[in-house]
């Protein structure tokens, strides 16, 4: 029986209602996933659902452009890019006459609920249509095109929007449908270019889309470690030509064979003059003589199959869109379904549109700081992180330590600045070394922190680990620390496999999979004495551990050992990284998104392999230990019929019911079935057992094949999400470590023994939070190595609904219309 505090969607009925779904404006990968979710959720709640082909043009033209659809109408479109119902610019809808005809076409079919998937222009048009609706109906009655009873019955039009745009240029949502897929296309090109550029010592200028928004350029620059970047929201300062050329020549002097410059197509300088890719190329060739090539990605970014992130995002938004339409009243404003952190929210459509327009206004008026702020905390944090990582700071630029500086240090600093002015010296680091060599090491730069921070990987390899290490090292150096890399986890730590790592030592790490530091599952308890000795010998003042459940267990052991070993009384932070996504205290772990994409792509290929053959069902086994995240979310992204996981027990009766359900579906036009099973979902109902059961019970209707995906889920280059997430979360972790070092530095040493000095940095709903590991102990099932509560279990009913199962769905978090400013205030503590 449902708990009284739960709000269940079974109480919402669409009976007697009609929903129209259309895509408008530029196409974006993931639109089809949104269309599929709207259609199936609408039919599930017993509403009629109509395709409106060719966007607003189809609404105006009517006829066959508005067509009622069935469940099977959206089969096999989840993995298709673009939009199967078409999208077109419509001039006639901008005129009242066109909107009048559109209203007539909708009323004739009883459609009073519209789901609009598009950009700010499309959504603004939808809102105007809604505001004019009653007046349009009155006019239609007066001209005799509809009856008065029809006008009364269909007196109110409900509008809910979903933002489909690869540019991510809509305020109010962290990500729009299609953005992540576009980043996948960009990173595929960047990774391919890197291999050829390294062979010839070339500079590449890449132009990406984004006439009015630099999100794609910003995140791709962050994800590939670009040398320079141009975006419209943050133009370069005066004299950027000299600064950029100096940066490129310095990198080449350090034996870096490749330079990458990312240019947004709408990039401008501080005088609002365009900065084009050709202009940048000509500048580099003229001033430096580097072999420079331009690559304009163009519509490649719009193409291809949608990523796992976009499929899941669009499916979540599509379902919530239908719920919002069912709950709408005449007083409810038109809303847009958005993503804030890891939570779906509803925001007033026009508030978002107005803020989006304010960004452009701020750029036109050269108020660029306001433009960045209006883009939202996520955009702002991306930009700040890029600035932090992209330029090696001179020692004189580093944050100043609290320790008093000697008069010699101050003089040395002044002399360096003076020489830089006279001789254009750009790196004072070598100058300080010269002083130290000639003056008995007495010169201590005023900004050096004198803290040593060690970074290590623990547990199984996960994509994104290297991006996190690179970020940690460079932010640590920027903070004034000396950074140490530990090879092979705590086992390597115990053996003394630890060495200082410099800024250039992590160059090119962002796009590489696995763990370049080396990682092992060994826990520290086995080597307490040796690790303490290494901390003492190398004067380590803080630890950053990047890893999975083993990293969490390791920190628990080190906390408990503090009573015996004073060396462990230092600040320590965990950055969760595991494809299993089973670390307590975080909704998402590094590597999980890359693994999901690997599972989804494999499932797509497996289903395609049976194209043209008879009906077939595939049984796929995923990794994850006892955590069913990969099976469940992979099933949602790939359009699975069922996903068996440990967290939701099942028996032979449920298996039999699933087989019968799939058999009935296969008797229609459905050709393919997909079943996912987590590797430890049940010790008796193994993958072989389920394969044999489906094979036997489906005999005569479909045949079966099975695949165990294995370690291919751990391999490959990190996804753009994991590169970006790893970079930002690791930078935030090092900044926290710096803060704790200052707080715990007393009497010439660091001493930290409180619970809040050992934390896990995790994403919780909308925020990044530092949580003491001791507090997370009660939230953890140590036997099965999973958190006791997992947010993604709420997505289980979503997959079942879209696979045509009757189920219960808790929508307690839905239905709360927020405001844009409120969403941003809640996000202040740690937007990603």
């Amino acid at each position: 029986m449902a708990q009284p505090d739960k709000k269940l969607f079974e109480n919402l009925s669409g009976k007697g209602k009609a929903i129209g779904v259309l895509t408008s404006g530029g196409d974006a990968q993931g639109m089809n996933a949104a269309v599929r979710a709207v259609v199936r959720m609408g039919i599930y709640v017993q509403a009629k659902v109509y395709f409106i082909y060719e966007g607003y043009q189809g609404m105006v033209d009517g006829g066959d452009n508005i067509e009622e659809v069935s469940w099977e109408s959206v089969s096999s479109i989840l993995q298709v890019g673009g939009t199967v119902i078409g999208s077109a610019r419509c001039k006639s809808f901008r005129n009242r006459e066109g909107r009048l005809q559109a209203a007539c076409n909708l009323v004739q079919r009883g459609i009073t609920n519209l789901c609009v998937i598009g950009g700010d222009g499309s959504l603004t048009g939808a809102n105007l249509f809604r505001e004019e609706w009653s007046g349009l109906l009155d006019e239609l009655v007066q001209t005799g095109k509809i009856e008065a009873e029809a006008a009364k019955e269909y007196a109110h039009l409900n509008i809910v929007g979903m933002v489909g745009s690869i540019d991510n240029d809509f305020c109010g949502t962290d990500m729009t449908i299609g953005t992540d897929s576009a980043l996948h296309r960009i990173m595929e090109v960047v990774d391919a270019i890197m291999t050829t550029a390294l062979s010839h010592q070339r500079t590449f200028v890449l132009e990406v889309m984004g006439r009015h928004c630099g999100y794609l350029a910003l995140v791709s620059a962050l994800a590939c470690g670009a040398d320079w970047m141009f975006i419209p929201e943050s133009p370069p300062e005066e004299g950027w030509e000299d600064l950029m050329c100096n940066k490129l020549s310095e990198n080449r002097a350090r034996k870096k064979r490749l330079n990458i410059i990312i240019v947004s197509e709408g990039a401008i300088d501080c005088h609002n003059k365009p900065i084009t890719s050709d202009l940048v190329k000509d500048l580099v060739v003229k001033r430096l003589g580097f072999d420079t090539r331009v690559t304009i990605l163009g519509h490649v970014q719009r193409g291809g199959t949608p990523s796992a992130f976009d499929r899941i995002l669009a499916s979540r938004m599509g379902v919530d869109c239908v719920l919002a339409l069912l709950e709408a009243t005449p007083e409810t404003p038109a809303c847009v379904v958005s993503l804030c952190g890891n939570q779906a929210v509803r925001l007033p459509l026009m508030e978002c549109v107005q803020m989006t327009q304010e960004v452009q206004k701020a750029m036109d008026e050269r108020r660029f700081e306001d433009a960045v702020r209006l883009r939202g905390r996520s955009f702002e944090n991306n930009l700040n992180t890029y600035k932090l990582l992209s330029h090696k700071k001179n020692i004189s630029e580093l944050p100043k330590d609290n320790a008093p500086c000697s008069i010699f240090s101050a003089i040395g600093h002044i002399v360096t600045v003076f020489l830089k002015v006279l001789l254009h010296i750009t790196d004072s680091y070598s100058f300080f070394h010269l002083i130290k060599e000639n003056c008995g090491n007495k010169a201590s730069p005023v900004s050096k922190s004198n803290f040593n921070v060690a970074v290590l990987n623990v547990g199984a390899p996960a994509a994104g680990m290297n991006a996190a290490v690179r970020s940690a090292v460079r932010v640590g150096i920027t903070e004034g620390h000396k950074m140490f890399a530990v090879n092979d986890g705590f086992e390597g730590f115990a053996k003394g496999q630890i060495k200082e790592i410099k800024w250039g030592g992590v160059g090119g790490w962002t796009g590489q999979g696995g763990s370049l530091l080396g990682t092992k599952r060994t826990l520290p308890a086995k080597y307490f004495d040796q690790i303490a000795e290494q901390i003492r010998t190398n004067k380590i003042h803080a630890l950053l551990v990047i890893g999975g459940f083993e990293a969490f267990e390791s920190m628990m052991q080190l906390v408990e050992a503090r009573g015996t070993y004073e060396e462990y009384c230092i600040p320590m932070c965990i950055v969760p990284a595991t494809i299993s996504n089973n670390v307590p205290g975080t909704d998402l772990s590094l590597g999980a998104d890359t693994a999901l994409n690997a599972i989804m792509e494999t499932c797509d290929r497996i289903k395609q392999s049976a194209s043209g053959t008879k009906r077939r069902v595939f049984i796929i086994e995923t990794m994850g230990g006892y955590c069913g995240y990969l099976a469940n979310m992979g099933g949602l992204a790939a359009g699975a019929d069922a996903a068996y996981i440990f967290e939701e027990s099942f028996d032979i009766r449920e298996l039999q019911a699933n087989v019968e359900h799939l058999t009935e579906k296969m008797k229609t036009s459905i050709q393919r079935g997909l079943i996912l099973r987590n590797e430890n979902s049940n010790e008796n109902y193994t993958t072989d057992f389920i394969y044999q059961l489906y094979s036997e019970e489906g005999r005569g209707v479909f045949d079966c094949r099975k695949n165990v995906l294995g370690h291919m889920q751990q391999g490959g280059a990190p996804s753009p999400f994991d590169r970006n997430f790893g970079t930002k979360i690791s930078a935030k972790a090092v900044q926290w470590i710096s803060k704790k070092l200052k707080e715990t530095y007393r009497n010439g040493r660091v001493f930290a023994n409180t619970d809040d000095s050992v934390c896990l940095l995790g994403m919780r709903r909308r925020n990044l939070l530092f949580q003491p590991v001791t507090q997370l102990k009660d939230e953890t099932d140590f036997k099965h190595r999973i958190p006791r509560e997992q947010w993604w279990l709420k997505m289980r009913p979503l997959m079942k609904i879209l696979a045509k199962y009757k189920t219960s769905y808790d929508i307690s978090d839905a239905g709360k219309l927020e405001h844009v400013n409120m969403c941003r205030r809640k996000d202040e503590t740690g937007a990603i």
Side-chain angles (χ1 to χ4, degrees):
M1 185 175 178
Q3 296 178 5
D5 60 335
K6 281 189 177 181
K7 180 181 175 184
L8 302 176
F9 91 108
E10 292 95 306
N11 301 323
L12 298 173
S13 174
K15 201 166 186 178
K17 296 183 179 181
I19 299 172
V21 57
L22 66 110
T23 53
S24 179
D27 65 300
Q29 309 96 319
M31 280 184 166
N32 287 327
V35 168
R36 171 180 177 266
V38 170
V39 168
R40 293 195 166 177
M41 187 63 173
I43 293 172
Y44 190 89
V45 297
Q46 299 180 299
K48 289 183 177 181
V49 184
Y50 290 82
F51 276 167
I52 301 176
Y53 291 101
E54 308 305 332
Y56 288 117
Q57 189 65 55
M59 192 190 297
V60 173
D61 295 342
D64 293 339
N65 289 302
I66 304 177
E67 177 186 68
E68 186 177 356
V69 292
S70 66
W71 190 278
E72 289 76 19
S73 300
V74 289
S75 294
S76 302
I77 70 168
L78 182 63
Q79 67 272 21
V80 179
T83 165
V84 296
I85 59 176
S87 178
R89 311 283 180 185
C90 180
K91 291 183 179 179
S92 55
F93 191 77
R94 296 178 184 177
N95 303 319
R96 184 175 173 84
E97 293 76 13
R99 295 192 291 274
L100 188 69
Q101 185 58 47
C104 182
N105 291 330
L106 294 184
V107 169
Q108 287 172 356
R109 294 163 178 79
I111 300 173
T112 57
N113 297 279
L114 277 185
C115 171
V116 181
I117 308 168
D120 62 328
S122 304
L123 297 176
T124 302
N127 188 69
L128 176 62
F129 190 43
R130 179 180 183 271
E131 290 175 347
E132 292 182 344
W133 183 257
S134 59
L136 294 172
L137 263 55
D138 290 342
E139 190 172 335
L140 289 171
V141 171
Q142 291 170 9
T143 56
K145 291 186 177 180
I146 64 170
E147 299 294 330
E149 290 77 10
K152 185 177 180 181
E153 183 179 357
Y154 306 122
H156 303 289
L157 178 67
N158 299 315
I159 300 282
V160 176
M162 286 184 277
V163 191
S165 167
I166 68 165
D167 294 339
N168 202 32
D169 56 356
F170 192 81
C171 293
T173 184
D174 287 349
M175 289 286 275
T176 57
I177 295 169
T179 302
D180 188 69
S181 301
L183 286 170
H184 272 260
R185 301 296 91 79
I186 294 169
M187 295 318 302
E188 286 164 8
V189 172
V190 170
D191 289 347
I193 280 177
M194 279 185 170
T195 56
T196 180
L198 285 168
S199 303
H200 300 279
Q201 282 194 311
R202 282 182 177 148
T203 296
F204 269 86
V205 182
L206 271 68
E207 182 181 302
V208 301
M209 283 187 168
R211 272 198 310 274
H212 305 294
C213 178
Y215 185 87
L216 290 179
L218 172 57
V219 175
S220 55
L222 195 60
C224 74
D227 297 272
W228 208 268
M229 170 202 69
F230 297 95
I231 60 173
E233 293 89 346
S234 182
E237 60 191 70
E238 289 276 12
W240 62 268
E241 298 90 344
D242 293 332
L243 294 172
M244 185 186 74
C245 290
N246 287 341
K247 172 77 181 301
L248 297 178
S249 59
E250 283 175 15
N251 286 344
R252 193 61 64 89
R254 293 192 192 106
K255 307 299 183 184
K256 184 177 180 182
R257 298 178 61 83
L258 162 70
N259 298 120
I260 295 279
I261 302 169
I262 308 283
V263 182
S264 175
E265 64 177 328
I268 53 176
D269 64 16
C270 56
H271 301 294
N272 277 10
K273 293 181 180 178
I275 295 177
T276 65
S277 51
D278 284 331
L279 184 150
V280 174
K281 176 200 169 184
D282 292 343
L283 178 68
V284 174
V285 171
K286 181 180 178 181
R287 293 210 182 180
L288 302 176
F290 290 175
D291 185 1
T292 306
R293 307 297 169 91
V294 172
T295 300
I296 299 175
L297 273 63
H299 281 72
V300 166
Q301 296 158 90
R302 289 194 189 278
T305 186
S307 66
F309 184 97
D310 273 330
R311 296 189 197 188
I312 294 169
L313 173 66
S315 297
R316 290 176 67 181
M317 285 186 169
V319 168
D320 199 51
C321 182
V322 173
L323 295 176
L325 288 170
L326 294 179
E327 294 176 334
T329 66
E331 293 74 34
T332 307
C335 73
V336 61
V337 180
S338 301
L339 182 73
C340 191
N342 193 34
Q343 188 176 10
V345 296
R346 299 177 196 170
L347 302 172
L349 189 154
M350 289 313 296
E351 282 188 18
C352 298
V353 169
Q354 287 162 9
M355 184 170 282
T356 303
Q357 293 169 347
E358 280 294 318
V359 176
Q360 187 59 50
K361 183 180 177 183
M363 287 192 289
D364 291 341
E365 296 174 357
R366 294 161 61 181
R367 294 184 288 110
F368 297 111
E369 289 184 5
D370 289 342
V372 170
R373 179 181 54 80
L374 288 167
R375 280 285 180 221
R377 293 283 294 183
S378 178
F379 187 96
E380 198 172 0
N381 285 346
N382 278 322
L383 184 57
N384 290 337
T385 305
Y386 174 77
K387 289 177 178 178
L388 198 64
L389 293 170
S390 60
H391 305 293
K392 181 179 179 181
K393 301 293 187 293
N394 299 322
I395 286 184
S396 58
E397 297 176 289
L398 297 176
K400 294 184 179 181
D401 186 47
N402 292 332
C405 62
S406 66
I407 186 67
F408 186 85
S409 298
I411 292 171
H413 179 64
I414 293 168
V415 171
T416 302
V417 174
F418 179 69
L419 284 177
K420 283 175 70 177
V421 172
L422 290 179
L423 305 176
H424 304 290
I425 295 174
T426 56
D427 187 2
S428 61
Y429 191 72
S430 57
F431 180 76
F432 269 116
H433 271 280
L434 185 64
I435 293 176
K436 289 168 76 175
E437 288 171 6
N438 290 280
C439 303
N441 251 358
K442 292 179 182 179
S444 176
V446 295
S447 51
K448 290 280 283 184
S449 73
N450 295 320
F451 291 128
N452 298 338
V453 180
V455 183
L456 65 157
N457 295 155
V458 177
M465 277 183 165
N466 296 322
V469 172
R470 170 185 176 270
S471 177
V473 168
R474 292 195 169 179
V475 173
I477 291 171
T478 300
E479 295 275 305
H481 309 319
K482 185 180 286 187
M483 302 301 294
F484 287 84
V486 180
N487 297 118
D488 296 335
F490 282 107
E491 187 173 322
F493 208 154
K495 295 176 180 177
Q497 296 175 9
I498 177 170
K499 62 181 179 180
E500 185 181 356
I501 188 165
K502 304 282 189 176
W503 184 278
V506 289
W509 281 34
T510 310
Q512 298 195 49
S515 168
L516 293 175
L517 287 184
T519 180
K520 291 192 176 180
R521 297 177 183 270
T522 311
L523 300 181
K526 186 177 178 182
Y527 302 104
F528 273 157
D529 291 336
Q530 296 94 319
I531 294 171
E533 174 63 26
Q534 291 298 328
I535 290 176
R536 190 164 54 250
T537 302
N538 291 283
K539 298 179 181 178
I540 301 299
H541 301 108
L543 282 182
L544 177 64
V545 180
I546 302 165
F549 199 87
E550 292 86 357
F552 173 67
E553 287 183 303
S554 297
M555 290 297 101
M556 293 292 298
Q557 291 182 358
L558 293 178
V559 168
E560 291 172 2
R562 279 178 161 181
T564 307
Y565 299 90
E566 193 174 288
E567 289 83 358
Y568 298 142
C569 293
I570 57 176
M572 293 183 259
C573 187
I574 307 169
V575 169
T578 168
I579 68 166
S580 301
N581 199 35
N582 64 332
V583 180
T586 187
D587 292 349
L588 294 171
S589 298
L590 278 180
D593 183 72
T594 304
L596 271 183
N597 278 283
I599 292 167
M600 178 202 74
E601 290 167 8
T602 305
C603 288
D604 287 349
R605 290 174 183 171
I606 286 172
K607 287 192 293 183
Q608 192 180 41
S609 72
S611 178
T613 64
K614 59 183 180 180
R615 291 177 174 84
R616 183 163 289 170
V617 173
F618 294 94
I619 315 296
I620 311 291
E621 180 181 297
T622 66
M623 295 175 76
Y626 286 96
C627 181
Y629 176 83
L630 290 180
N632 186 74
M633 303 307 279
L636 188 57
D641 295 275
Y644 299 115
I645 61 173
F646 171 78
E647 292 89 344
E648 191 176 277
S649 59
F650 56 96
D651 55 24
I652 192 65
R653 289 181 293 274
E654 183 173 345
L655 287 170
Q656 184 62 37
N658 291 152
V659 174
E660 292 171 359
H661 180 268
L662 193 53
T663 302
E664 289 303 311
K665 281 176 68 175
M666 286 290 192
K667 289 177 181 177
T668 65
S669 60
I670 303 296
Q671 297 285 320
R672 304 284 169 266
L674 185 65
I675 307 296
L676 270 65
R677 176 188 175 273
N678 165 250
E679 58 184 346
N680 289 337
S681 57
N682 190 292
E683 61 182 352
N684 295 313
Y685 302 132
T686 63
T687 301
D688 284 335
F689 178 89
I690 293 173
Y691 163 70
Q692 291 167 6
L693 176 68
Y694 274 77
S695 296
E696 182 61 32
E697 297 299 319
R699 192 184 299 275
V701 180
F702 58 80
D703 64 0
C704 283
R705 296 289 186 274
K706 67 174 178 179
N707 294 83
V708 178
L709 301 186
H711 282 75
M712 58 81 59
Q713 298 160 84
Q714 274 187 332
S719 68
F721 180 91
D722 278 330
R723 299 184 199 199
N724 188 28
F725 187 45
T727 298
K728 287 193 289 187
I729 196 173
S730 194
K732 196 172 183 70
V734 172
Q735 289 173 329
W736 175 87
I737 285 174
S738 297
K739 179 184 174 185
K740 287 294 177 184
L741 285 169
K742 290 177 182 177
E743 290 175 357
T744 58
Y745 184 75
R746 297 289 183 274
N747 302 319
R749 67 170 187 150
V750 173
F751 185 80
N753 64 346
T754 56
D755 287 348
D756 66 354
S757 63
V758 182
C759 285
L760 180 142
L761 176 54
M763 181 182 176
R764 286 287 181 97
R765 293 168 73 87
R766 302 185 186 187
N767 303 316
L768 286 173
L769 301 175
F770 290 95
Q771 304 146 95
V773 294
T774 51
Q775 291 181 13
L776 297 174
K777 188 174 182 180
D778 294 336
E779 300 179 20
T780 308
D781 175 355
F782 283 94
K783 180 181 178 182
H784 298 107
R785 296 160 58 87
I786 55 175
R788 295 189 186 278
E789 292 186 10
Q790 303 188 77
W791 69 273
W792 55 265
L793 287 171
K794 288 187 176 181
M795 299 292 105
R796 291 280 294 167
L798 217 65
M799 188 190 69
K800 293 181 179 180
I801 289 167
L802 297 178
K804 214 173 183 178
Y805 284 94
K806 290 292 180 184
T807 186
S808 179
Y809 184 29
D810 179 11
I811 56 171
S812 302
D813 291 337
K816 300 170 184 174
L817 188 67
E818 299 187 7
H819 294 279
V820 177
N821 290 334
M822 181 189 298
C823 182
R824 291 194 68 221
R825 278 199 303 272
K826 286 183 178 179
D827 204 26
E828 291 294 312
T829 56
I832 64 164

